[in-house]
């Protein structure tokens, strides 16, 4: 089926033309629906007219949130395919990804060209460079966006393509377990995901939504952009996940919603910023990207009220697949408290199955791998047929690699990643379960649990723990705290206290980095 995405956006302009669609806080600029549409039409036309960008060509966004919000979803009105890179990744990772997708044009922050060898690397690859701010000095091959747009037409692009076949976007997986794979998205994936979110019984977005994007728009936060836009709400952006800036922005703009990773919420509790800033305008705080400690969630609710919504998704099934809504967060019984450990229930339109190793569905309460099939699930990985074949079933399910079970009410409980399951003495230990118990100790800020080789038991359980500021607890006290809460075989045999844990730029703990630290010191003759 053919689609004209520009026409869909223009329909919003006709209805909401003078309403504010986008606000970039740090750059102090805002755009109405009409202005945003006009500017992005110019960008699409500029890419076609001045850089001969058409079907099969790729452009890369290496941008902070403010600029990425201008040049992300809206460029799907054109024929070229976008690739969003994480601005905070390393030079080596950026160049690997750029070589992988072979772009014709890169949109990049000026400051990036001043670091390491970016400029030389782009020039060697004959990539046209477009910067977002006026360059201080002339650099051959570097173009200033607003100069390029000065005489460009804002006429409708009138580009049509097959919404099931044309790839509008490439994104790389997070790489918490290795080198990221390149996911391919069609427009059906994006629009289907939006409709799934709209179908959730609780209204997640409305025309009054004023949503703040804190985490990178190249990643999880971008899942909110189109749902807010097509509901007639306003997207706000800041470039760095700074808690003081977040709270100040919420207070000054009376923002209604945001998306944050649990580690940021933990820090919010630590600093007590709710007493310094007026955050009462918030009525929906989405969290995800990594599990939330149930005990800390209860602390957050006691301070902010019942405003929290958990979302579960992944690069391959992006954005939302499961939701634990505000009603699900109401705690009146022990059963309610148990539910906080879940990732929620599948959205309408999402098939979620718990499968055994043979691809057969498991009964309620039995642990297996989570398989997902919906319109938001990608067709596969770019230039990676073997990974696509192993990661997706013949019927179109994405095999998530997450282990979990579903109860009879449809709530899904994720117990671990397949690769993160620890087998000790023949027993399965799920790291997330152990981490939740450790994190419930009042002195603990964050923890990670891994398995390391052991001659007798195959693997033994080890924890690294970050304590809250000015808090003290010993490994013996923490071990005693865990007794009776989990089986004795699950309690870490070693607890190491550290100042911080390695995390990705979007806040996920890099468990493999912690695991590798121990495995490198041990002969890999037991697994």
């Amino acid at each position: 089926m053919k689609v004209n995405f520009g026409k869909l956006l223009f329909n919003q302009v006709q209805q909401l033309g003078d309403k504010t669609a986008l606000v970039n806080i740090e750059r102090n600029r805002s755009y109405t629906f009409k202005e945003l549409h006009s500017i992005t039409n110019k960008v699409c036309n500029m890419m076609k007219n001045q850089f001969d960008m058409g079907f099969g060509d790729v452009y890369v966004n290496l941008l902070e949130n403010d600029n990425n919000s201008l040049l992300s979803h809206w460029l799907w009105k054109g024929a070229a395919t976008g690739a969003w890179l994480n601005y905070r990744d390393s030079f080596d990772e950026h160049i690997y990804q750029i070589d992988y997708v072979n772009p014709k044009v890169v949109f990049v922050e000026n400051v990036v060209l001043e670091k390491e060898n970016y400029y030389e690397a782009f020039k060697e690859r004959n990539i046209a460079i477009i910067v977002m701010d006026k360059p201080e000095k002339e650099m051959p091959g570097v173009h200033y966006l607003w100069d390029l747009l000065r005489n460009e037409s804002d006429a409708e692009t009138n580009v049509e393509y097959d919404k099931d076949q044309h790839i509008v976007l490439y994104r790389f997986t997070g790489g918490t377990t290795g080198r990221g794979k390149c996911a391919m998205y069609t427009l059906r994936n994006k629009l289907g995901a939006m409709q799934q979110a709209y179908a959730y019984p609780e209204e997640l977005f409305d025309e009054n939504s004023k949503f703040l994007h804190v985490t990178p728009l190249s990643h999880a936060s971008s899942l909110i952009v189109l749902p807010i836009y097509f509901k007639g709400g306003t997207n706000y952006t800041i470039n760095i996940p700074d808690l003081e800036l977040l709270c100040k922005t919420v207070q000054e703009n009376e923002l209604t919603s945001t998306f944050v990773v649990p580690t940021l919420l933990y820090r919010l509790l630590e600093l007590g910023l709710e007493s310094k800033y007026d955050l009462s305008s918030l009525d929906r705080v989405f969290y995800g990207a990594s599990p939330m400690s149930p005990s800390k969630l209860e602390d957050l609710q006691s301070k902010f009220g019942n405003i929290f919504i958990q979302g579960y998704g992944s690069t391959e099934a992006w954005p939302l697949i499961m939701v634990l809504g505000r009603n699900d967060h109401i705690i009146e019984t022990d059963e309610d408290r148990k539910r906080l450990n879940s990732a929620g229930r599948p959205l309408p339109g999402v098939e979620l199955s718990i499968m055994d190793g043979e691809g057969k569905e498991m009964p309620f309460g039995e642990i297996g791998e989570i398989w997902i099939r919906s319109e938001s699930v990608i067709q596969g990985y770019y230039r990676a047929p073997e990974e696509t074949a192993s990661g997706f079933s013949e019927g179109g399910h994405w095999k998530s690699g997450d282990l979990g079970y579903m109860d009879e009410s449809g709530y899904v409980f994720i117990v671990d990643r397949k690769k993160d399951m620890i087998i000790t003495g023949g027993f399965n230990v799920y790291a997330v379960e152990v981490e939740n118990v450790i994190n419930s100790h009042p002195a603990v800020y964050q923890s990670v649990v891994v398995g390391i080789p052991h001659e007798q038991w195959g693997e033994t359980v080890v924890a690294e723990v970050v304590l809250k500021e000015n808090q003290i607890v010993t490994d013996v006290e923490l071990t005693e705290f865990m007794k009776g809460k989990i089986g004795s075989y699950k309690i870490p045999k070693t607890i190491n206290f550290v100042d911080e844990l390695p995390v990705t730029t979007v806040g996920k703990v890099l468990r493999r980095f912690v695991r590798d630290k121990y495995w490198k010191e041990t002969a890999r003759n037991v697994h």
Side-chain angles (χ1 to χ4, degrees), residues 359 371-373 379 388-399:
W371 286 21
I372 297 164
R373 182 166 61 185
Q379 298 173 4
T388 298
S390 64
F392 296 81
S393 74
E394 292 183 1
H397 294 90
W398 170 56
K399 304 174 185 179

Side-chain angles (χ1 to χ4, degrees), residues 451-456 458-459 515-527:
I452 65 171
H454 189 276
E455 290 291 343
Q456 182 177 356
E459 287 182 297
R515 183 192 295 113
D516 287 351
K517 179 169 61 176
Y518 295 98
W519 280 77
K520 285 176 181 176
E521 298 171 357
T522 311
R524 293 174 182 255
N525 56 359
V526 285
H527 292 270

Side-chain angles (χ1 to χ4, degrees), residues 46 64 85 113 156 180 202 231 250 257 276 278 300 338 370 396 412 414 434 460 487 500 526-527:
M46 173 271 292
E64 294 184 304
L85 307 192
L113 296 184
E156 298 302 314
E202 295 179 27
K231 276 290 187 178
V250 169
S257 47
K276 181 178 178 181
D278 181 1
L300 286 161
K338 177 185 175 183
I370 297 171
V412 177
I414 299 172
V434 182
T460 187
E500 61 181 6
V526 285
H527 292 270

Side-chain angles (χ1 to χ4, degrees), residues 203-241:
E203 192 169 38
L204 302 177
F205 321 99
D206 58 43
E207 69 276 10
N208 297 313
S209 293
K210 299 168 72 176
F211 189 94
L212 179 62
H213 298 274
V214 180
T215 58
L217 275 171
S218 56
H219 285 63
S221 191
S222 59
L223 67 88
I224 307 292
V225 172
L226 288 183
I228 292 290
Y229 180 89
F230 281 105
K231 276 290 187 178
T234 304
N235 286 291
Y236 288 73
T237 66
I238 57 177
N239 292 321
I240 54 174

Side-chain angles (χ1 to χ4, degrees), residues 188-206:
R188 181 180 289 278
N189 294 147
K190 312 316 298 174
L191 297 181
M194 181 177 71
Q195 293 302 328
Q196 287 165 194
Y198 286 165
Y200 186 68
E202 295 179 27
E203 192 169 38
L204 302 177
F205 321 99
D206 58 43

Side-chain angles (χ1 to χ4, degrees), residues 101-156:
V101 299
N102 189 27
K104 205 170 184 178
V105 169
V106 58
F107 293 95
V108 63
E109 301 288 353
N110 298 54
V111 68
V112 170
L113 296 184
E114 301 168 4
K115 297 190 300 183
E116 300 189 55
N117 301 308
Y118 281 92
Y119 175 70
E120 291 77 11
F122 296 156
K123 292 296 291 178
E124 286 173 7
R125 290 160 174 78
N126 294 314
I127 302 171
I129 304 165
I130 302 178
V131 294
M132 309 301 293
D133 298 300
K134 189 74 173 176
E136 292 185 4
K137 62 181 180 179
E138 187 173 334
M139 302 174 73
V142 175
H143 308 271
Y144 175 41
L145 176 67
W146 303 100
D147 281 346
L148 294 173
L149 299 185
R150 184 174 294 117
N151 297 315
E152 195 57 72
S153 167
D154 68 350
E156 298 302 314

Side-chain angles (χ1 to χ4, degrees), residues 456-472:
Q456 182 177 356
W457 305 111
E459 287 182 297
T460 187
V461 183
V462 171
E464 290 201 348
V465 177
V466 180
L467 297 179
K468 294 178 182 176
E469 198 170 335
N470 299 322
Q471 294 292 314
I472 298 174

